[in-house]
Amino acid sequence: QVQPVESGGGSVQTGGSLELSCVTPHSSLCMAWFRQPPEKEREAVAAIDMYRRTSTTDSARGRFTVSRDYAKNTLYLKMNGLQPEDSAMYYCAAVRPTVVGGDWRCPPLAVTSYTYWGRGTQVTVSA
């Protein structure tokens, strides 16, 4: 059983920074961050594969950086230049990779691709 556990959320002013963390029991996982603003659907933010290759959605590109520390079984999301529209519950998600021709493959960055979900950490950005 994989239960991601997020931390690092909080309240900041516009232009501020936060770093979210997510711990899992092991690191042999494809990992991603999603967020869900109030009364809106959950949306993708960024993902990282087994080779530390990353993908970031348009809303986060240039401001948010996803990374992982294999030794600590920890996923990070460094967020700079936060705006009020970034206010949301942020979720860490994980899924086991598939092996294709000896390579670890991760699924597309989408809510339906990920199996294991944390309970979320709240980020609030005030104007």
Side-chain angles (χ1 to χ4, degrees):
Q1 183 67 22
V2 176
Q3 178 61 59
V5 179
E6 306 97 334
S7 62
S11 297
V12 296
Q13 293 186 329
T14 296
S17 298
L18 283 173
E19 183 173 64
L20 307 182
S21 300
C22 171
V23 178
T24 53
H26 59 82
S27 291
S28 300
L29 298 163
C30 304
M31 303 293 299
W33 289 100
F34 293 80
R35 68 184 183 184
Q36 188 165 13
E39 301 180 359
K40 293 186 178 180
E41 293 188 353
R42 195 167 298 188
E43 62 184 21
V45 177
I48 188 166
D49 70 6
M50 309 298 290
Y51 304 101
R52 291 193 173 94
R53 293 174 301 200
T54 63
S55 58
T56 310
T57 57
D58 289 345
S59 63
R61 193 167 296 126
R63 301 186 299 130
F64 295 2
T65 302
V66 60
S67 62
R68 67 191 305 170
D69 185 330
Y70 279 106
K72 296 181 179 180
N73 296 336
T74 302
L75 174 74
Y76 300 98
L77 184 67
K78 176 65 174 178
M79 304 184 292
N80 296 319
L82 284 162
Q83 303 296 316
E85 53 266 34
D86 295 316
S87 296
M89 185 70 80
Y90 282 70
Y91 295 92
C92 172
V95 64
R96 299 184 192 280
T98 55
V99 179
V100 179
D103 291 332
W104 297 101
R105 299 285 180 89
C106 291
L109 182 52
V111 172
T112 54
S113 297
Y114 286 78
T115 306
Y116 307 105
W117 292 83
R119 295 184 176 183
T121 184
Q122 180 68 40
V123 172
T124 303
V125 185
S126 58

